[in-house]
Amino acid sequence: MTGQHPPRYAGGPCFTCGRPWPCFERQVASLVEFAGMGDLIVAYMGDWRRLGVEERRRRGLPFDPELEARHLGWLDMVLPARRARGDRPWRIDRCDRRDETRAHAFPAILARRCAVATTPAPTADQPMDDDARRLAELGYQQELRRKWSGFSNFAISFSIISILAGCFTTFGQAWNNGGPVAISWGWPLISLFILVIGFCLAELVSAYPTAGGIYWWAAKMGRPVHGWFTGWLNLIGLVAVTASVDYGCATFLNLTLSALFDGWAGTLRQAFVLFVIILALHGLINIFGHRIIDVLQNVSVWWHVAGAAAVVAILAFVPDRHQSFQFVFTERFNNSGFGDGGTGGWTFWFYVLPLGFLLTQYTITGFDACAHVSEETRGASKAAAQGLWRSIFYSAVGGWILLLAFLFAATDVDAINAAGGFSGAIFETALTPFFFKAVIIISTIGQFFCGMSCVTSMSRMAYAFSRDRAVPGWRLWSRVDRNGTPVNAIVGATVAGLALTLPALYESPSGIPVAFYAVVSVAVIGLYLSFVIPIVLRLRMGDRFTPGPWTLGRRYKLLGWVAVVEIAIISVYFVLPIVPAGVPGHADFSWSAVNYAPLAVGGVLLVVAVWWYASARRWFTGPRRTVEGFAGAADAGIDGDPVRQ
């Protein structure tokens, strides 16, 4: 009978009961994995019966006649032998965590007797440990390689936030919409709100450390529809973040090449070609650099720390003169074109200035990467939670210091305004050619590291969402190669990022990179809307929520509502026109100046909403377990059955 089981189960005693292979518990557990994890049959005292199709759908169970026949045929061989040995019959029913003495889930009893029955056998590369058991409790096999340290987990979010990327590429957004006050005061203020959001998400990743992250939490704390919309918003946001980071990296590389080589014109088309090359390189690094990708994340952290310190030192000591404290902390600009350029009144304070906060809101994002790589992190329940909020805190402090150095060095205001607020104009006017090139190169390399980390996070989300069959062609995107790398998900997600950035080929007549800022807005809106759904569901659960080792305690209510209000406000602002030429009906209206963030996000939401009500609500049941009924599932704060629609 052992020939029917996967090779990794062959030979050796049972891990817990000690009986020689094949003991009955290991055989049944092996069947559960071999037959596609399908709990298609329910038994009452050995009386086997089939569940109706509607009952299967209600529980989110797959319906495959071939697997069902294999399941029944196997049990027909095993049960007579079990009765002949005089073994006590099993009582198997749906798991009810409110009364576990009365009902148990198949094969939860087996998992209690054989602790690793429904998870892969240990190997030299992936020994069975608390992380794998916890993942099994949440319903998944350990397929990705768990070799990331807590520091590496912190490093990926710190690298994606990347003060060497966002502070450089979106500086002009704050400069034109508010000026120095939008940076010197806006950065710490918005950072505080983002840290609150981070605390709320850290509590959730501690309780549910899975690669699906945000959407997994939403589906489990709410209903499949919550997971459906959260997943698509999160995936869109991660694709947009990757695209915007790599496009920003290409812009700075374009500037570097034009400064180094006289024959390089630095045109928009050249920047786009560089963007395609950088995006492809990041995909290849993630595919073929699986052995060193976590090491590269660690290197990225030190590059960001040392690089930011070097830039601050250069801007402090190289320029001949600096701006005053009064300029840095009180000066206001309005180069947006709204409100006739005025720096007072309702238009400035409640429209123009909040648009400048996009600098902070965009730079400090992507920190959910700690959740997306939690299945590859050792001690994930603590390490991922700590890595998430710490990446926000340290980035906020380092970014503020870096931006203040920018402002003190911004002595030629007219030249910076003429460049559309581009941060490169600060360095070019305040520094010697050598130090100008040094600063640009430091930033470009930092942005390259950032883009590499973005592809890692994006591909893990695409893999996890496909694993639960939400993405068209899910069988393709959910495959991992022999190295535990989701190659197809990496390729598909990078191509999606390329497609999203195509409008950047159109040049705005104002010289402001409206298409780039639109991609940035898509990233911010998509990600933060995906964050708010599980936070609201956590508030709704109240004391029914089972926290992990890192918890907010009673403070979750106050912090949760602060996070919800902040996300609601920024989601409205960042779909608004960035320049007057993007306002329909304006005399200078141009489609190339339109902020297409509401079109991109709204269009995708419309499509997934129609898809949900037309089809997906009948088959998408949220996260699909690849390990059935593990013993600790009840303790994980998860019902035995998938939530109903």
Side-chain angles (χ1 to χ4, degrees):
M1 204 178 298
T2 58
Q4 301 179 48
H5 307 296
R8 59 173 169 265
Y9 284 108
C14 177
F15 287 92
T16 299
C17 69
R19 281 177 286 175
W21 175 267
C23 69
F24 175 76
E25 287 80 5
R26 287 297 302 280
Q27 291 180 33
V28 175
S30 177
L31 169 72
V32 173
E33 180 170 352
F34 186 63
M37 312 298 173
D39 183 4
L40 304 180
I41 310 299
V42 175
Y44 296 92
M45 300 296 288
D47 179 22
W48 296 92
R49 66 181 179 86
R50 296 169 182 261
L51 292 176
V53 174
E54 289 303 319
E55 178 69 4
R56 286 197 187 91
R57 287 176 177 168
R58 189 184 72 80
R59 298 190 190 182
L61 302 175
F63 176 62
D64 188 326
E66 181 180 347
L67 289 181
E68 182 168 328
R70 187 190 305 171
H71 199 156
L72 283 171
W74 194 88
L75 290 167
D76 286 341
M77 292 187 291
V78 170
L79 287 178
R82 181 167 176 77
R83 295 191 189 99
R85 295 204 306 262
D87 288 348
R88 179 176 59 85
W90 293 100
R91 176 173 181 175
I92 303 172
D93 198 346
R94 286 191 301 134
C95 182
D96 184 345
R97 64 175 177 168
R98 291 178 293 274
D99 185 4
E100 287 193 53
T101 61
R102 180 171 53 82
H104 297 283
F106 175 68
I109 300 173
L110 308 183
R112 290 188 177 94
R113 293 195 176 191
C114 304
V116 294
T118 54
T119 56
T123 66
D125 292 334
Q126 287 188 238
M128 188 64 178
D129 53 20
D130 291 341
D131 290 310
R133 286 191 180 90
R134 176 59 178 158
L135 188 61
E137 291 169 3
L138 298 175
Y140 295 113
Q141 284 182 287
Q142 183 69 61
E143 293 181 308
L144 303 174
R145 292 184 180 273
R146 194 180 289 274
K147 64 174 185 173
W148 291 47
S149 65
F151 183 80
S152 297
N153 184 281
F154 156 81
I156 188 171
S157 282
F158 187 80
S159 298
I160 290 177
I161 292 173
S162 183
I163 58 177
L164 292 178
C167 291
F168 284 74
T169 57
T170 52
F171 177 86
Q173 176 70 8
W175 179 273
N176 293 322
N177 296 275
V181 297
I183 301 167
S184 58
W185 293 108
W187 178 277
L189 175 64
I190 302 302
S191 295
L192 183 61
F193 285 114
I194 296 173
L195 185 59
V196 169
I197 296 170
F199 283 144
C200 295
L201 298 184
E203 182 180 49
L204 295 176
V205 73
S206 178
Y208 310 127
T210 69
I214 313 295
Y215 94 89
W216 198 99
W217 309 337
K220 283 302 179 182
M221 292 188 295
R223 298 186 178 187
V225 64
H226 298 120
W228 175 261
F229 281 95
T230 303
W232 281 108
L233 284 168
N234 193 228
L235 188 57
I236 294 164
L238 290 172
V239 169
V241 162
T242 303
S244 60
V245 168
D246 278 1
Y247 189 79
C249 181
T251 301
F252 270 72
L253 181 58
N254 202 27
L255 178 63
T256 303
L257 293 176
S258 63
L260 295 175
F261 305 104
D262 294 334
W264 189 270
T267 64
L268 183 67
R269 297 298 174 92
Q270 287 175 321
F272 195 85
V273 171
L274 291 174
F275 161 70
V276 175
I277 294 172
I278 291 169
L279 191 63
L281 285 175
H282 285 152
L284 292 173
I285 290 172
N286 274 270
I287 292 172
F288 297 106
H290 61 277
R291 295 184 183 277
I292 60 169
I293 193 70
D294 57 326
V295 177
L296 291 176
Q297 305 295 347
N298 298 349
V299 172
S300 174
V301 169
W302 297 117
W303 181 267
H304 278 80
V305 172
V311 171
V312 170
I314 290 171
L315 294 176
F317 296 110
V318 174
D320 296 328
R321 61 191 181 93
H322 292 87
Q323 289 285 9
S324 65
F325 277 87
Q326 182 179 3
F327 173 87
V328 171
F329 290 100
T330 65
E331 191 69 25
R332 303 193 298 269
F333 297 150
N334 181 3
N335 300 329
S336 66
F338 293 108
D340 298 324
T343 57
W346 291 92
T347 301
F348 177 80
W349 291 109
F350 292 97
Y351 189 87
V352 176
L353 183 62
L355 289 179
F357 295 157
L358 181 61
L359 163 66
T360 315
Q361 204 78 49
Y362 165 68
T363 301
I364 308 181
T365 194
F367 42 81
D368 57 316
C370 289
H372 295 308
V373 297
S374 60
E375 290 185 26
E376 300 164 77
T377 303
R378 298 188 295 271
S381 292
K382 287 185 178 179
Q386 293 171 341
L388 196 152
W389 75 261
R390 286 174 179 173
S391 65
I392 297 172
F393 176 77
Y394 291 122
S395 295
V397 174
W400 194 45
I401 296 172
L402 184 63
L403 287 169
L404 289 179
F406 286 11
L407 293 176
F408 278 111
T411 52
D412 194 340
V413 174
D414 292 337
I416 299 170
N417 287 336
F422 179 51
S423 61
I426 298 175
F427 316 133
E428 192 170 14
T429 57
L431 304 174
T432 63
F434 171 80
F435 285 106
F436 165 67
K437 295 172 186 175
V439 169
I440 295 299
I441 290 172
I442 289 172
S443 173
T444 303
I445 295 175
Q447 291 176 52
F448 188 86
F449 277 124
C450 175
M452 175 194 71
S453 302
C454 287
V455 171
T456 304
S457 177
M458 171 184 65
S459 63
R460 269 44 175 190
M461 171 56 192
Y463 155 78
F465 206 31
S466 300
R467 178 175 62 183
D468 293 326
R469 307 182 185 183
V471 181
W474 59 269
R475 287 184 177 86
L476 178 65
W477 314 122
S478 60
R479 291 176 188 166
V480 296
D481 66 6
R482 61 181 180 179
N483 299 311
T485 303
V487 174
N488 296 336
I490 293 171
V491 174
T494 52
V495 171
L498 173 61
L500 183 63
T501 319
L502 287 175
L505 286 169
Y506 293 94
E507 189 168 7
S508 169
S510 65
I512 296 175
V514 176
F516 170 73
Y517 290 143
V519 176
V520 168
S521 296
V522 170
V524 171
I525 296 167
L527 286 178
Y528 280 96
L529 283 180
S530 71
F531 296 165
V532 78
I533 297 174
I535 292 174
V536 169
L537 293 172
R538 164 69 181 99
L539 289 169
R540 190 180 72 171
M541 285 190 72
D543 294 336
R544 292 183 293 115
F545 175 78
T546 304
W550 196 97
T551 177
L552 295 174
R554 304 304 304 174
R555 292 165 293 184
Y556 80 90
K557 292 183 180 179
L558 173 62
L559 297 180
W561 281 114
V562 170
V564 169
V565 172
E566 200 270 349
I567 293 173
I569 292 173
I570 63 106
S571 297
V572 172
Y573 272 108
F574 296 155
V575 299
L576 299 175
I578 298 172
V579 293
V583 180
H586 192 274
D588 298 324
F589 175 77
S590 171
W591 280 106
S592 62
V594 168
N595 177 5
Y596 68 87
L599 300 177
V601 177
V604 172
L605 280 176
L606 179 63
V607 170
V608 298
V610 171
W611 187 7
W612 171 260
Y613 287 105
S615 171
R617 64 192 177 100
R618 290 191 288 271
W619 51 263
F620 180 75
T621 57
R624 290 177 175 265
R625 304 177 69 86
T626 60
V627 172
E628 295 286 351
F630 196 79
D635 300 326
I638 303 168
D639 292 324
D641 292 330
V643 267
R644 293 189 292 272
Q645 297 173 14

